[in-house]
Amino acid sequence: MFKSIKALAAATLIAAVPFGVQADSHNGSVEEVLVILSSDSLQTQGMAMVLSNTMAQQGAKVNVLLCDQAGDLALKSYEAPALKPKNVTPGQMLRSLLNQGGQAKVCALYLPNSPYGKDDLIDGVGVAMPPEMSGQMLNPKIRTFTF
């Protein structure tokens, strides 16, 4: 009986260790993030931008890669319904992120496969090149989020 209590206590301790380590790793030590947004869903785009802005406000350097229809957020002509509760669009939130020092790029396939050119993008948005983006994705110091 005493051995089974010791075994249970040891198992509990061992099982709890990963949770403690995980909790400690989220103490603001992430300095840079890459947010890859390709969803055409307005709410998904909005949440990606809310979280990106929040991470920037918490001190992270935020890089955003906009692919497929999410690339439209970077267009000067972008229009979408405003999302509650703040009544802003994902495009407006992207502009806010850029004003906070965030970086945004459309994927390398966006412009060649759309009727738009570089001149149609808002100031501060570039075109991502695969070597640069894969370098960020493979960098263990940069956490990647996809939406």
Side-chain angles (χ1 to χ4, degrees):
M1 170 99 171
F2 187 66
K3 281 186 178 183
S4 60
I5 291 174
K6 279 175 95 174
L8 178 62
T12 303
L13 198 69
I14 290 169
V17 169
F19 295 110
V21 171
Q22 182 177 0
D24 288 343
S25 69
H26 295 292
N27 64 358
S29 63
V30 175
E31 295 179 14
E32 189 169 358
V33 298
L34 171 62
V35 176
I36 302 173
L37 177 55
S38 60
S39 174
D40 62 350
S41 165
L42 184 65
Q43 288 186 29
T44 301
Q45 291 175 352
M47 198 67 232
M49 290 297 98
V50 165
L51 293 172
S52 295
N53 275 282
T54 303
M55 287 186 283
Q57 291 163 3
Q58 293 175 348
K61 178 181 177 193
V62 180
N63 306 287
V64 176
L65 175 62
L66 301 166
C67 298
D68 204 3
Q69 291 181 335
D72 294 353
L73 274 69
L75 295 173
K76 293 175 185 173
S77 62
Y78 172 81
E79 290 184 23
L83 294 168
K84 295 179 183 186
K86 303 259 181 171
N87 292 319
V88 292
T89 68
Q92 289 169 322
M93 289 185 265
L94 174 64
R95 287 159 179 77
S96 174
L97 178 67
L98 296 173
N99 288 334
Q100 293 181 70
Q103 294 187 345
K105 296 183 178 183
V106 294
C107 73
L109 299 177
Y110 178 74
L111 293 176
N113 292 287
S114 75
Y116 306 109
K118 285 184 183 181
D119 292 341
D120 294 307
L121 300 175
I122 59 175
D123 288 339
V125 175
V127 177
M129 302 284 54
E132 173 192 9
M133 297 317 302
S134 63
Q136 287 184 347
M137 294 171 75
L138 292 172
N139 186 336
K141 294 181 180 179
I142 299 176
R143 187 166 297 159
T144 301
F145 302 92
T146 59
F147 294 86

